[in-house]
Amino acid sequence: GENVEQHPSTLSVQEGDSAVIKCTYSDSASNYFPWYKQELGKRPQLIIDIRSNVGEKKDQRIAVTLNKTAKHFSLHITETQPEDSAVYFCAASIPEGDSWGKLQFGAGTQVVVTP
Amino acid sequence: ETGVTQTPRHLVMGMTNKKSLKCEQHLGHNAMYWYKQSAKKPLELMFVYSLEERVENNSVPSRFSPECPNSSHLFLHLHTLQPEDSALYLCASSQWLAEETQYFGPGTRLLVL
């Protein structure tokens, strides 16, 4: 089955610097890769996603890149702010049956942005 | 943040108790999910329902029993749990059972003594 590895497990950055989180996946048939942000005591929320027909997607300070050949995808946060402090989860769809995808999640990255 | 709600938010139970977790979605979605979230581990998918039919049972012990009476409600019935079952249980929903955004509830923090 699909296996998703996420690194690093913790990331401390100075406010204003960039943060990069990397995930690798094992199933070359996966074609949907969402990123979720979970603030302390809150629910996970989708912040950005990318599909396999696209190599990069950007939304303001957040971008995701996908390398299908190498089977890895990354989340980039620029100009980090204290409110970016949270746990970030990557996920990859597991294509089974008729185009539905169970999500396999990474273990999460705790991002701490220090002023 | 009222799209997906879960009750109770916190639950403490003994190993011999029976309790139920409730999830309700107000988004008109057709797929619902139960996840288990333990510290330092990936989110673990437990059950998936599509149009009220269970389509996934991810090798979950029988002491967890899901129920989906309609597309808006999802229950997780608990009985004779173990201390290692203590975790945050998250419900999620999506429009269809496909590769698309899942919306999570706030979770139920469960402690089994």
Side-chain angles (χ1 to χ4, degrees):
Chain A
E2 177 66 280
N3 184 44
V4 177
E5 301 276 342
Q6 183 171 348
H7 299 282
S9 57
T10 58
L11 181 59
S12 184
V13 295
Q14 285 287 118
E15 183 177 357
D17 287 350
S18 295
V20 181
I21 304 169
K22 296 180 180 178
C23 288
T24 60
Y25 61 98
S26 59
D27 192 334
S28 58
S30 291
N31 51 21
Y32 174 62
F33 308 92
W35 285 89
Y36 285 81
K37 175 184 179 183
Q38 187 175 25
E39 295 177 50
L40 188 62
K42 295 195 173 179
R43 70 193 74 195
Q45 290 192 299
L46 181 79
I47 53 171
I48 196 167
D49 57 14
I50 192 166
R51 296 182 188 272
S52 59
N53 57 348
V54 175
E56 183 174 359
K57 185 175 176 181
K58 192 171 181 181
D59 182 3
Q60 298 182 332
R61 297 186 297 106
I62 293 173
V64 58
T65 57
L66 171 65
N67 183 328
K68 284 218 74 180
T69 304
K71 290 189 282 189
H72 66 71
F73 56 111
S74 300
L75 179 72
H76 305 253
I77 307 173
T78 57
E79 299 169 30
T80 53
Q81 300 167 6
E83 53 264 38
D84 295 328
S85 296
V87 178
Y88 292 81
F89 294 95
C90 65
S93 66
I94 308 167
E96 290 178 16
D98 298 320
S99 75
W100 74 270
K102 183 171 72 170
L103 291 179
Q104 179 66 48
F105 283 84
T109 297
Q110 174 75 62
V111 174
V112 177
V113 180
T114 51
Chain B
E1 296 207 37
T2 57
V4 183
T5 57
Q6 288 185 245
T7 55
R9 295 294 307 275
H10 301 271
L11 179 62
V12 180
M13 59 187 288
M15 289 191 284
T16 58
N17 291 158
K18 286 186 181 182
K19 296 286 183 184
S20 295
L21 309 185
K22 179 182 177 183
C23 175
E24 185 172 359
Q25 57 94 2
H26 310 272
L27 302 169
H29 287 171
N30 297 287
M32 296 186 78
Y33 313 77
W34 278 117
Y35 286 92
K36 177 183 178 182
Q37 186 175 35
S38 306
K40 308 291 184 187
K41 288 176 135 183
L43 279 164
E44 298 172 53
L45 180 64
M46 299 175 72
F47 300 105
V48 181
Y49 277 82
S50 174
L51 298 172
E52 301 137 52
E53 277 193 40
R54 193 193 307 180
V55 296
E56 180 78 19
N57 178 348
N58 211 19
S59 303
V60 179
S62 59
R63 57 185 183 269
F64 295 92
S65 174
E67 179 190 0
C68 187
N70 55 62
S71 59
S72 299
H73 293 85
L74 186 64
F75 294 89
L76 188 62
H77 303 298
L78 316 171
H79 65 98
T80 58
L81 294 194
Q82 305 297 311
E84 59 265 29
D85 297 322
S86 299
L88 181 69
Y89 287 85
L90 288 161
C91 171
S93 71
S94 62
Q95 184 64 57
W96 297 106
L97 192 61
E99 296 158 343
E100 54 182 63
T101 306
Q102 292 184 19
Y103 294 83
F104 285 85
T108 295
R109 176 70 63 187
L110 173 66
L111 177 62
V112 181
L113 300 175

